[in-house]
Amino acid sequence: MKEFAESIEGSNAALLYAAGPAIHHSDSRNFTCNNSGYVVAKSQVGLNIMNVAKMFKNVEFEFANINANTCASSMYCLYEAKQLLETYDKVIIVAMEMTEASQILLFEQLGVEIVCGDGLGVVVLNNTSGVARIDEVSWRWNNDRSPMSVSKEGYIKVLNELNLEGIDVVKPHGTGTSRNDEAENEALVEVGLNAVETKLYKKDIGHTQGASTIVELGMLLDEVVVGTKSLVLASGMGGFYGGCTIWKL
């Protein structure tokens, strides 16, 4: 990460940090140290983004922001970046996920069968050149029955805002739980994309939560050929949904 960051140059730039689930700490919480004797500071995302920014020694950031709404965090960063590129020459997204025992315990207590994974992804966006072009990004909220589940209606809101003509490949969010995957597939059926080639990565690398969109987008672009138009979807705890269409150049 540090070597990559030092290879990037630029001014008039913005930094977006996808933090995954930021855990709220109260004064009453009992902190436990890890094996090194340090308290895990994952929730201190302000500290994390400052440390990340300092790695980019040759970039002059004029703007920085954090997104931490769990599994759709880095998709929202793409949504925000699309708007920021109207003002800034370059937007860098750093998406980082380090799974903690408390997260695994939460899924176990709620009966959510999900395999978590650690992940790190970095993308550099500009208005001139690159390996891919993002045409559209949609972001919506839906009042779902449960904050832990997704709905067909939530995905439909996103899909209805995107130009789905000529989609060659679909990269679903693909949580890995039967109920959520069924709802996402129902939405794809409704818009006529159920027969399109599908790429699923969480079954191989685990669910990298906040970093998942950026990590899996990189994997997707490594696989598809030049000229491919892909649809990428994401959803996050609390009724958040996002999607984008992207061309491999």
Side-chain angles (χ1 to χ4, degrees):
M1 170 66 183
K2 184 178 179 181
E3 292 180 359
F4 173 79
E6 292 179 350
S7 71
I8 305 299
E9 299 180 356
S11 58
N12 190 32
L15 172 65
L16 300 177
Y17 180 70
I23 304 167
H24 173 70
H25 290 321
S26 67
D27 292 337
S28 63
R29 176 166 177 167
N30 292 321
F31 290 93
T32 57
C33 295
N34 60 24
N35 293 333
S36 300
Y38 297 105
V39 173
V40 175
K42 177 179 179 180
S43 66
Q44 306 302 323
V45 289
L47 170 65
N48 291 352
I49 193 173
M50 179 65 77
N51 290 333
V52 166
K54 289 181 177 179
M55 292 184 185
F56 290 86
K57 298 182 182 299
N58 302 313
V59 180
E60 183 180 344
F61 291 114
E62 301 290 339
F63 177 91
N65 202 10
I66 295 165
N67 187 266
N69 71 344
T70 66
C71 307
S73 295
S74 49
M75 176 60 79
Y76 184 81
C77 287
L78 288 176
Y79 176 77
E80 187 176 10
K82 191 74 171 173
Q83 301 167 72
L84 288 171
L85 284 171
E86 297 178 4
T87 303
Y88 298 94
D89 298 331
K90 183 175 295 182
V91 179
I92 298 172
I93 300 174
V94 176
M96 188 180 301
E97 184 60 65
M98 297 170 286
T99 304
E100 295 180 11
S102 59
Q103 295 168 250
I104 297 174
L105 178 60
L106 173 64
F107 290 134
E108 289 178 348
Q109 289 175 334
L110 295 175
V112 179
E113 296 181 359
I114 187 171
V115 177
C116 297
D118 295 342
L120 170 65
V122 183
V123 295
V124 180
L125 300 138
N126 59 61
N127 287 313
T128 55
S129 62
V131 299
R133 184 184 78 241
I134 298 176
D135 279 347
E136 300 174 299
V137 188
S138 173
W139 181 262
R140 296 297 300 269
W141 181 78
N142 194 63
N143 189 11
D144 293 331
R145 293 179 61 185
S146 166
M148 295 294 295
S149 64
V150 301
S151 66
K152 169 187 171 183
E153 292 73 24
Y155 281 113
I156 287 294
K157 285 184 177 182
V158 167
L159 292 166
N160 284 343
E161 292 187 344
L162 299 173
N163 177 9
L164 304 178
E165 184 177 354
I167 295 293
D168 301 299
V169 175
V170 175
K171 204 296 292 178
H173 183 64
T175 304
T177 62
S178 57
R179 181 177 57 185
N180 288 359
D181 289 349
E182 182 179 355
E184 186 173 14
N185 186 64
E186 287 176 353
L188 291 171
V189 169
E190 182 162 317
V191 297
L193 291 177
N194 55 302
V196 175
E197 180 182 3
T198 300
K199 299 287 187 181
L200 294 168
Y201 297 110
K202 292 180 179 66
K203 60 183 177 60
D204 298 318
I205 65 172
H207 196 322
T208 57
Q209 298 180 79
S212 59
T213 295
I214 297 300
V215 169
E216 295 177 20
L217 179 59
M219 297 174 70
L220 175 69
L221 292 175
D222 280 344
E223 285 192 33
V224 299
V225 299
V226 171
T228 298
K229 182 180 180 181
S230 301
L231 167 68
V232 178
L233 294 172
S235 60
M237 185 186 300
F240 295 100
Y241 297 82
C244 69
T245 54
I246 182 167
W247 290 85
K248 173 71 174 289
L249 302 178

